[in-house]
Amino acid sequence: MDYHYNDFWFHFYTSGDPKAIPWTQLSPIRSAADGWAFIDVQPGDVYCWPTNLGWVMGPTLLYSCFLSGATLALYHGSPLGRGFGKFVQVIPPNFILTVLMSVRAKETK
């Protein structure tokens, strides 16, 4: 079967060596279905998830929002500072999702 790749994300958690995982033309549809089923992405919602778009949740949330009619609020910079708090006040998003490492880093400061 001939596949056309539209994205790659990298996974390195199991062995420490990065592995490129190709996304095919079916990946956006799967991402939108996962967003609908597991995150409850709805038209008109505003989602803010401070994550690297190269990480698995970046493309998943991007495709989920765009294919369902939701808005994805993107912040450039660290979510640990005052700037992110002001960004969230201005938006304001319906959902602020987080990466546990960010919460852990904030707790130790």
Side-chain angles (χ1 to χ4, degrees), residues 3-104:
Y3 291 104
H4 298 281
Y5 302 116
N6 63 7
D7 195 2
F8 290 89
W9 61 271
F10 292 88
H11 173 62
F12 56 89
Y13 295 108
T14 55
S15 68
D17 296 327
K19 298 167 196 63
I21 301 171
W23 285 40
T24 67
Q25 63 271 23
L26 297 176
S27 300
I29 296 167
R30 163 108 195 263
S31 293
D34 287 349
W36 171 82
F38 301 115
I39 307 173
D40 194 28
V41 177
Q42 298 292 320
D45 284 343
V46 178
Y47 280 79
C48 181
W49 191 326
T51 184
N52 183 331
L53 289 178
W55 186 57
V56 64
M57 282 313 299
T60 298
L61 197 60
L62 186 92
Y63 290 134
S64 296
C65 287
F66 290 166
L67 292 176
S68 69
T71 300
L72 179 58
L74 298 173
Y75 178 76
H76 180 69
S78 172
L80 302 178
R82 185 175 178 91
F84 181 72
K86 288 186 175 198
F87 174 75
V88 169
Q89 284 179 334
V90 170
I91 301 291
N94 299 67
F95 297 92
I96 301 173
L97 305 148
T98 188
V99 177
L100 291 177
M101 289 183 351
S102 298
V103 173
R104 189 174 311 128

